[in-house]
Amino acid sequence: MQISFKQEVKSDDKVTGQEIVDSILKNRGIENTQEFFRPKPPVTIQLSDFGFATEIRRSIELLKTIKERNQMVVVYTDYDADGITGGTILWETLHLLGFNSMPYVPHRQKEGYGFSILGINNIKKQYNPTLVISVDHGITAVEQITYAKSIGISVVITDHHLKGDTIPDAEAVFHIPALSGAGVAYFFAKMLFDEFGNESKYNSTLQDHFLTDYVALASIGGIADLVPLVGPTRSIVKYGLEACSRSKRVGVRHILKEAGIEGKKITPYEVGFVIAPRINAIGRLEHAIDALRLLCTTKEEQALELANKVGGINIERQDLVKKAVEEANKLVESMEKIPNIIILISEDWHEGIIGLIASRMTETYYRPTIVMTKGDGVYKGSARSIPSFHITNFMKDLREHLVSVGGHAQAGGFSVTSENLQKFIKEVEKQAKKLITKKDLERVVQADIKLPLSKVTYGLIKLLEKLQPFGIGNPQPTFYSSARVLDAKLFGKKSDHLKIVVQDPETRSMPLEVIAFSGADKFTQLSKNKVVEIVYQTEIDRWGGNEKVRGKLIYLEIASSGV
């Protein structure tokens, strides 16, 4: 295990807490600290701020004609939490602006991700639209969009995924990698509101939505899709999380109530581990249109019914994942040697959970992982990766073997025919041996700063709280320190958690209490006055009206010179 840090502060360095905070931001490449601490409200940011002057003009002219002729517009959204929240924002905006419009969510198992010929044909048959607007997909759908145009359907793309070599021949393409799919949808919808809002009787309702509900939904999409919380996405998430707690949208309120977090402060944790999995679950196992209905409904009874359905399906999803992960672990442990890329195939695994299986395997074995299951005539695959290896670019280099491929740096999806399956696997294994080094596969514990414990003060931690919300691209600051153990004890019903009290071994500073949940295995290594190296995060523990600094342990090792 390596411990990596970007800067070291020594005991005799005369640095202030603000200088430490500024150093953390600088090391993360954040130079405009004023904008970082005081991001613009999303409602003040325009789609034109990202460019797209020609595309905006073309889209508005097209939509003006469509509205005058009362022609149909379909919002074709992805089935994950990012797509569902973005689809909700864009479809509801069009609807309240008076457009003849309908949402469309593809069935994960029957139609697959993004545009498909089957999906386009279904839309043509059901709605015969003049225009389809994508949300959270479309940037690589060259053939599908050409087909849509051939049967009389115009397409506007809003997406954030990696571009392919060729851009689809759409009416307009709004591709913004710095945002989530829901983020792009938010600013596209707001552009439409600015253009058509005065014509709508729902002008004041929409104005309020863009200040509250829509930014709340966009924040859920951004966090769920692991978009870096910097720049405009930081703005969306910072204001959106605040809006989540006070949202009047019945679907959101019933999700929070069913999850047991109603009335609580909503942070990226609640979104990432409580709210988003519920929205995702229904699309994984059934049809995600019910998740969109839940977010759009204005009826209390329907919201209650759908929220309970989503919660129940999420429990079912958890059970399926638990069983499948156990099976996957057995497969990996049976391997003579764990390869550079883990490849697992089972026809028993539900297509909707293969990404979750891949994620767990990557976490456990610190290897890029590809998990596949058989679908209709093809094998569907999902991949997850480690920070040093761009899995989607890797798979795109093998596209000659694949039917489709897309994704991000550390997550991707693809499909491969039965005939090409073995060729694909052999090529993956061959290229992985060349491209992934032993160093890539060595776990690295990242810290922002190596810091003496004497510098960890209440004042510093209060300053660090201003960096919130924490998440991808703006993780909670992590420190690396030498520490002398003053006390160690186990706690919890099963005595499976560890609490240690440590002190700077040189300056004998104020003691710091550090908690390690599920850290009981480290207890036997510790004794009074033992010197250890710790990597940890900090927080202010607020209990009973009192405040004190506390650490959350990430990694501990006995110092080589320890007593």
Side-chain angles (χ1 to χ4, degrees):
M1 185 81 75
Q2 301 177 49
I3 299 176
S4 174
F5 55 93
K6 297 175 182 176
Q7 186 178 348
E8 181 173 7
V9 172
K10 298 186 177 178
S11 296
D12 55 355
D13 289 343
K14 298 188 185 306
V15 295
T16 64
Q18 188 61 56
E19 287 171 333
I20 291 173
V21 172
D22 290 344
S23 294
I24 290 171
L25 292 177
K26 184 178 179 181
N27 291 336
R28 294 179 178 181
I30 299 168
E31 296 183 357
N32 189 341
T33 56
Q34 185 174 357
E35 183 180 307
F36 184 84
F37 284 116
R38 296 182 181 83
K40 296 177 183 177
V43 75
T44 67
I45 301 171
Q46 307 298 324
L47 183 62
S48 58
D49 294 340
F50 301 93
F52 304 115
T54 301
E55 290 85 350
I56 290 171
R57 185 173 64 252
R58 191 180 298 150
S59 299
I60 288 173
E61 289 172 359
L62 176 61
L63 283 158
K64 277 183 178 178
T65 301
I66 286 171
K67 194 167 190 285
E68 287 169 2
R69 297 176 179 175
N70 196 34
Q71 293 170 323
M72 172 64 74
V73 180
V74 168
V75 175
Y76 191 136
T77 187
D78 190 20
Y79 41 61
D80 68 1
D82 191 19
I84 293 299
T85 52
T88 298
I89 293 166
L90 183 50
W91 172 74
E92 191 174 281
T93 298
L94 286 164
H95 176 68
L96 295 178
L97 288 174
F99 283 86
N100 183 14
S101 61
M102 287 296 291
Y104 186 84
V105 186
H107 191 285
R108 182 189 286 261
Q109 282 75 49
K110 296 176 182 177
E111 297 168 73
Y113 167 78
F115 284 123
S116 66
I117 302 301
L118 177 59
I120 293 167
N121 284 337
N122 286 340
I123 286 173
K124 179 73 174 177
K125 183 178 179 180
Q126 291 179 51
Y127 305 116
N128 192 27
T130 300
L131 174 66
V132 168
I133 306 174
S134 76
V135 173
D136 196 30
H137 67 96
I139 196 61
T140 61
V142 177
E143 294 176 12
Q144 295 90 332
I145 290 173
T146 298
Y147 174 73
K149 290 182 71 174
S150 76
I151 60 172
I153 301 174
S154 297
V155 179
V156 168
I157 296 169
T158 75
D159 199 359
H160 71 124
H161 290 91
L162 290 173
K163 292 191 289 188
D165 297 331
T166 305
I167 301 299
D169 184 21
E171 297 298 318
V173 178
F174 298 91
H175 178 248
I176 311 177
L179 296 170
S180 66
V184 184
Y186 174 88
F187 290 117
F188 184 83
K190 185 173 172 297
M191 178 268 292
L192 298 181
F193 169 65
D194 291 340
E195 182 65 31
F196 297 100
N198 289 333
E199 304 170 15
S200 171
K201 63 181 179 180
Y202 296 106
N203 184 289
S204 60
T205 299
L206 277 166
Q207 195 167 37
D208 183 61
H209 283 347
F210 279 103
L211 285 167
T212 55
D213 283 4
Y214 290 168
V215 73
L217 293 174
S219 72
I220 292 170
I223 294 167
D225 221 50
L226 305 180
V227 178
L229 303 189
V230 294
T233 296
R234 175 173 170 80
S235 173
I236 287 172
V237 171
K238 182 176 176 63
Y239 289 93
L241 289 175
E242 295 169 3
C244 275
S245 300
R246 63 177 192 274
S247 176
K248 297 176 183 176
R249 184 164 295 254
V250 292
V252 172
R253 285 197 291 103
H254 278 289
I255 290 174
L256 301 182
K257 187 174 183 178
E258 188 279 330
I261 56 173
E262 187 181 28
K264 295 183 179 179
K265 180 181 179 181
I266 305 300
T267 72
Y269 177 86
E270 282 73 27
V271 172
F273 293 94
V274 181
I275 299 171
R278 282 167 165 75
I279 297 173
N280 280 328
I282 198 160
R284 293 186 187 280
L285 303 187
E286 294 193 8
H287 198 303
I289 191 67
D290 275 342
L292 190 140
R293 289 188 181 113
L294 171 58
L295 294 180
C296 291
T297 187
T298 58
K299 299 174 182 176
E300 288 280 352
E301 285 186 11
Q302 187 181 27
L304 174 60
E305 179 184 342
L306 288 171
N308 287 336
K309 179 179 181 179
V310 165
I313 290 174
N314 188 51
I315 292 171
E316 182 184 348
R317 187 270 309 169
Q318 289 171 335
D319 292 340
L320 286 174
V321 171
K322 182 180 179 181
K323 180 183 177 184
V325 166
E326 289 172 355
E327 293 169 355
N329 278 322
K330 288 178 182 177
L331 289 174
V332 176
E333 296 301 331
S334 69
M335 296 176 181
E336 188 175 328
K337 180 183 177 183
I338 300 177
N340 287 2
I341 286 186
I342 296 170
I343 301 174
L344 301 172
I345 305 174
S346 173
E347 295 185 14
D348 295 330
W349 292 337
H350 194 289
E351 183 187 323
I353 65 169
I354 57 176
L356 301 175
I357 301 168
S359 181
R360 297 286 183 86
M361 295 301 101
T362 296
E363 290 171 10
T364 302
Y365 300 101
Y366 203 73
R367 296 283 196 283
T369 303
I370 292 172
V371 177
M372 288 180 275
T373 191
K374 197 169 185 179
D376 294 333
V378 297
Y379 280 85
K380 300 289 185 70
S382 191
R384 297 294 184 268
S385 193
I386 54 179
S388 60
F389 190 69
H390 197 303
I391 193 66
T392 298
N393 282 346
F394 173 76
M395 290 193 300
K396 281 186 174 182
D397 288 340
L398 304 176
R399 73 182 73 196
E400 65 183 279
H401 304 289
L402 302 173
V403 177
S404 62
V405 61
H408 304 293
Q410 288 180 247
F414 64 93
S415 59
V416 58
T417 63
S418 299
E419 293 76 18
N420 281 345
L421 179 62
Q422 292 307 317
K423 293 177 187 176
F424 171 66
I425 290 173
K426 286 179 181 178
E427 198 60 28
V428 167
E429 292 172 342
K430 178 182 172 183
Q431 294 301 322
K433 286 179 182 178
K434 291 180 183 177
L435 299 174
I436 301 175
T437 66
K438 186 178 179 180
K439 186 176 181 182
D440 288 331
L441 300 178
E442 186 175 349
R443 288 186 189 267
V444 177
V445 180
Q446 298 280 358
D448 286 281
I449 295 180
K450 186 173 184 181
L451 191 70
L453 272 175
S454 58
K455 304 289 185 183
V456 181
T457 64
Y458 176 83
L460 171 63
I461 311 313
K462 288 291 285 185
L463 289 171
L464 292 173
E465 285 190 334
K466 295 181 180 179
L467 302 184
Q468 295 177 354
F470 299 127
I472 301 295
N474 181 45
Q476 185 173 353
T478 303
F479 301 117
Y480 169 32
S481 301
S482 294
R484 184 182 301 278
V485 177
L486 300 181
D487 189 25
K489 61 178 67 174
L490 298 176
F491 70 99
K493 289 183 180 179
K494 298 180 181 178
S495 294
D496 52 351
H497 307 313
L498 173 68
K499 180 191 296 183
I500 59 174
V501 179
V502 293
Q503 185 181 52
D504 190 307
E506 294 183 13
T507 63
R508 306 285 175 164
S509 60
M510 284 286 292
L512 175 69
E513 181 181 279
V514 181
I515 302 295
F517 293 105
S518 302
D521 59 311
K522 302 175 182 67
F523 181 68
T524 56
Q525 304 174 48
L526 304 174
S527 59
K528 190 170 183 179
N529 291 324
K530 178 85 73 175
V531 176
V532 295
E533 306 289 327
I534 57 173
V535 179
Y536 58 101
Q537 295 169 338
T538 55
E539 63 182 8
I540 294 177
D541 181 25
R542 296 175 170 90
W543 181 256
N546 298 315
E547 295 186 345
K548 69 174 181 178
V549 177
R550 185 172 75 174
K552 294 183 293 182
L553 190 70
I554 295 172
Y555 178 69
L556 178 148
E557 66 178 28
I558 305 301
S560 55
S561 58
V563 175

